[in-house]
Amino acid sequence: MRRKLLLGLAVLSLVTGCLSPSGTQSTELNTDDQTEAPPLNGGSDPPEYAHKQPDSEVNTPEPLDNKTTRDDINVTLAERLLKKKVDDHRDSNNVGGLIADPRLARIARHHSYDMVKRDFFSHTNPDNQTYTDRLQESDYACGGGWENISGTIWKTNGTRTEEQLAEQFLINFIESPPHNTAMIDSDMTTIGVGIYVAENGHAYVTMALCDADPLPEDGGDDDE
C-alpha cells in the first residue's frame, strides 16, 4: 500500500510597515489544516510533485501581459538574481539548491500582481483565497511547502538596480526568523519567484517553495 501523504501549506506573518519602506510575510502549508493529497493520475502509480509534476497535470494561470509597466527595470533579471541569492544563502547553511519551476513562478507572480492591483498585502486575497487555494486551483501538487511575501519601493532605500532589489528582498527574509526558516528548509526542493513592480514603484515579491519528494525513497512504512 502506498504511504499516504498529508499536504500542509503554512503562512507566517510579519509586517514591518506596509510599503514604507518594506513589509514581509511568510506562510506555510499548515500542518494544523492538513488534507490528504489525492493521486494525480488515477491512483495506479505514486503521484509526482512540484517540478516533477508533468505539464499535462498542471493548470497555471495565463501569463501576465507584463511584470511591470515601468521601463526602468528588468523584472525577470531581478527574479533570477533573487533565486540565485536564495541558493547561495542555502549553500552557506549547508542546504542544497532549489529547482526553479516557471509554473510555480507564474502562480507566485499572479499573487504579487494581485496585491498591487487590489492594494492589499497578505497571503489571503480579498476573495479569501489562500496559498493552498492558489495551488489547488492550478492543480499544482506541493508535498508541503511555504510562501514568503515581501514589499519595498523601487528606486528608493537602496533599490536602484535589479541586484539591489533582489538583495533587499533577501535581507527582508533573512532578518525575519520565520521567513529565513522557510528559505533554508532542507525539505524544500522547488522554488517559484514572482515579482511585480507597480507604476508608482511599489514592488512585491511572492516566493513559493515546495517539496517534490514528500515520500521516502524506500517507501517508508504504510499508513493504516
Side-chain angles (χ1 to χ4, degrees), residues 39-61:
L40 301 175
N41 51 11
S44 59
D45 298 311
E48 294 180 312
Y49 296 87
H51 69 267
K52 297 181 179 181
Q53 190 179 5
D55 285 342
S56 60
E57 295 178 352
V58 181
N59 182 32
T60 55

Side-chain angles (χ1 to χ4, degrees), residues 88-194:
D88 290 345
H89 180 55
R90 286 171 63 91
D91 183 64
S92 68
N93 284 274
N94 300 312
V95 182
L98 298 163
I99 301 296
D101 189 338
R103 304 169 304 180
L104 187 57
R106 188 180 297 176
I107 296 169
R109 190 175 303 112
H110 269 258
H111 186 59
S112 296
Y113 174 80
D114 194 24
M115 288 192 291
V116 167
K117 291 302 180 182
R118 294 203 277 178
D119 191 25
F120 71 97
F121 182 68
S122 174
H123 298 281
T124 303
N125 69 22
D127 300 322
N128 207 36
Q129 186 182 52
T130 66
Y131 177 34
T132 304
D133 295 329
R134 289 187 287 277
L135 292 177
Q136 292 178 343
E137 185 176 67
S138 295
D139 297 320
Y140 192 89
C142 248
W146 300 85
E147 180 184 75
N148 284 352
I149 61 175
S150 184
T152 190
I153 309 293
W154 171 241
K155 290 295 185 183
T156 62
N157 304 312
T159 59
R160 298 185 178 279
T161 68
E162 289 84 357
E163 175 79 27
Q164 291 173 339
L165 180 63
E167 183 69 16
Q168 183 61 62
F169 281 140
L170 182 74
I171 290 172
N172 288 352
F173 292 140
I174 289 176
E175 290 182 345
S176 167
H179 305 82
N180 192 48
T181 294
M183 284 197 301
I184 62 175
D185 187 339
S186 61
D187 288 336
M188 298 300 103
T189 60
T190 309
I191 187 172
V193 175

